[in-house]
Amino acid sequence: MTVENILEIKNLKTYFSLDKDRVVKAVDGVSYVVPKGKTLGIVGESGSGKSITALSVLRLVDEPGEIVDGEILFKGEDLVKKKVSEMRKIRGNQISMIFQEPMTSLNPVHSVGKQIKETLHIHEDLIRQEANHKALDLLKLVGIPSPEKRLTQYPFELSGGMRQRVMIAIALACNPELLIADEPTTALDVTIQAQILELIKELQAELHMSVMLITHDLGVVAETCDFVAVMYAGKVVEYADVDTLFESPKHPYTVGLLNSLPRHDIKMEELTPIKGMVPSPFEMPEGCRFAPRCPFATALCQEKLPDLEKKENGQEVRCWIYTDEWDGEEVKVYEPNATT
Ligand SMILES: Nc1ncnc2c1ncn2[C@@H]1O[C@H](COP(=O)(O)OP(=O)(O)OP(=O)(O)O)[C@@H](O)[C@H]1O
Ligand SMILES: [Mg+2]
């Protein structure tokens, strides 16, 4: 059975040309799909290109950033080729995005109600009374208590969690088919984080939305996502459904992330964080970008970049270990913890 994909990113390259000979290849040949009606988690360390990929989908990358190659197929149509006016219609109508810090995205001088109604007016022709009803419905949908009162309040009068709920209400105002959430909970404290993620999960199921959830937290992925793309230094190194990724992760980087995930069954001091640092955009390794930090790396890894190759269960991995060309010893990249 083939799953229909709402979004297919193919070999996307988004570069920032800082000056004549300095180019930051923020997104450098990224390919992944968002299956329709599912949640895809994007994980990876800071600077791996998660946000720039998302902003590329919406064509919101600021200069000197530019999409230099690749395709972004949304329901089969290439967004890279769309005119600015066409993209404006797609944004907030079919694809919505929520960001990390709701205070910077909300307008401080307008009431919550006004801001929701503004989005409604832009995207749908609604008469005023209908707009009021719809704004109220949206606040109820995202679980805001005393919604009537909230409509008249200003962003500074709300807590961080409530502001993020308002942002979600705004993002949902026009029934998007794809919701992109970029670290939607990192600015919030832990209990509120869990509530917001639960809300996104519930809304996804209720509204049959497809969701792209960017996070650096694999714990969040385990709770919320159906599929996962692991990014490292501007590339996808692994892609799989969430069960496959947690049961048989293949890329040493993914395994490193899993090993540094706090778990109830192991003590903090037993966690093994990945050693070393993400390479500088100006000194990208020639071969596999993870090779300088990889405990298994051989000369081949240092010299040649592996492709992202399909394995069983739709899993994809970019690593020489899983190819016929592997020239090292036989290695066990992942050993499930005996106590789990
Ligand atoms: N305006 C810009 N000019 C130059 N380089 C940029 C610009 N914006 C982003 N980059 C670079 O692009 C790369 C990818 O950035 P991106 O914001 O996508 O990372 P990220 O994975 O979202 O990280 P984080 O987890 O910190 O949000 C980084 O190396 C970053 O320094
Ligand atoms: Mg980011």
Side-chain angles (χ1 to χ4, degrees):
M1 192 186 74
T2 52
V3 186
E4 202 187 328
N5 299 319
I6 190 147
L7 188 77
E8 297 189 4
I9 301 178
K10 294 184 177 174
N11 196 31
L12 180 70
K13 295 184 180 173
T14 304
Y15 292 176
F16 292 84
S17 298
L18 303 186
D19 48 47
K20 223 170 73 225
D21 32 39
R22 281 199 317 159
V23 178
V24 176
K25 298 180 177 178
V27 175
D28 199 13
V30 163
S31 303
Y32 60 72
V33 301
V34 183
K36 195 164 185 228
K38 303 286 180 195
T39 299
L40 170 73
I42 318 285
V43 287
E45 270 160 294
S46 190
S48 55
K50 306 181 297 292
S51 296
I52 301 298
T53 307
L55 290 172
S56 301
V57 171
L58 288 164
R59 296 261 310 274
L60 285 176
V61 179
D62 286 329
E63 280 189 13
E66 193 191 358
I67 297 176
V68 296
D69 200 7
E71 292 173 313
I72 301 171
L73 303 177
F74 176 66
K75 297 195 288 179
E77 289 187 33
D78 191 357
L79 299 182
V80 177
K81 297 205 177 81
K82 294 271 179 212
K83 292 196 200 102
V84 171
S85 57
E86 290 174 312
M87 268 322 290
R88 206 172 294 137
K89 276 194 201 142
I90 289 170
R91 271 198 301 269
N93 236 327
Q94 298 180 62
I95 309 177
S96 282
M97 184 152 175
I98 43 179
F99 297 91
Q100 185 172 332
E101 199 3 280
M103 206 52 195
T104 53
S105 321
L106 287 171
N107 188 332
V109 301
H110 289 156
S111 71
V112 164
K114 183 167 173 170
Q115 294 188 58
I116 298 178
K117 282 183 270 178
E118 250 167 26
T119 24
L120 289 172
H121 278 305
I122 294 170
H123 299 291
E124 288 175 44
D125 279 329
L126 288 176
I127 54 168
R128 195 193 301 180
Q129 212 178 5
E130 270 181 87
N132 274 330
H133 275 300
K134 183 111 199 245
L136 206 55
D137 284 347
L138 281 164
L139 287 186
K140 284 182 195 156
L141 183 69
V142 298
I144 290 189
S146 350
E148 288 87 356
K149 189 176 120 202
R150 302 293 180 187
L151 277 181
T152 61
Q153 288 186 318
Y154 290 82
F156 74 88
E157 296 179 85
L158 306 178
S159 67
M162 284 301 148
R163 283 200 290 263
Q164 194 55 297
R165 283 177 195 261
V166 170
M167 283 311 300
I168 296 173
I170 290 174
L172 295 179
C174 41
N175 304 319
E177 290 170 65
L178 174 65
L179 176 72
I180 302 176
D182 191 353
E183 309 263 10
T185 61
T186 37
L188 306 170
D189 65 46
V190 179
T191 38
I192 309 293
Q193 272 187 22
Q195 290 169 10
I196 295 290
L197 288 169
E198 191 55 36
L199 172 69
I200 292 176
K201 203 168 147 179
E202 281 168 19
L203 291 169
Q204 185 274 329
E206 200 177 318
L207 308 173
H208 308 289
M209 270 186 310
S210 311
V211 176
M212 198 164 129
L213 178 68
I214 299 171
T215 171
H216 52 264
D217 187 343
L218 268 177
V220 167
V221 168
E223 293 285 323
T224 324
C225 301
D226 304 297
F227 293 86
V228 197
V230 181
M231 286 189 65
Y232 188 80
K235 289 189 179 289
V236 172
V237 295
E238 185 153 6
Y239 181 94
D241 67 77
V242 77
D243 292 340
T244 303
L245 191 100
F246 281 87
E247 277 160 29
S248 56
K250 287 198 156 43
H251 200 284
Y253 178 62
T254 312
V255 173
L257 286 181
L258 283 169
N259 285 341
S260 48
L261 190 67
R263 291 202 316 239
H264 58 85
D265 55 337
I266 48 177
K267 290 203 287 289
M268 277 310 266
E269 57 265 35
E270 288 169 29
L271 292 175
T272 45
I274 308 167
K275 291 193 179 69
M277 303 232 298
V278 184
S280 145
F282 305 112
E283 287 165 73
M284 274 299 166
E286 230 172 84
C288 170
R289 291 175 178 185
F290 188 61
R293 297 170 79 183
C294 182
F296 310 108
T298 65
L300 173 69
C301 307
Q302 313 282 359
E303 283 156 22
K304 264 174 78 183
L305 180 75
D307 289 329
L308 187 63
E309 283 190 14
K310 279 205 164 65
K311 304 289 162 197
E312 281 169 21
N313 302 328
Q315 187 170 19
E316 294 172 36
V317 61
R318 186 189 284 282
C319 176
W320 286 119
I321 294 174
Y322 306 96
T323 67
D324 295 338
E325 279 150 277
W326 176 240
D327 57 352
E329 288 168 22
E330 206 176 301
V331 287
K332 249 203 173 131
V333 175
Y334 183 64
E335 289 183 82
N337 194 309
T339 57
T340 55

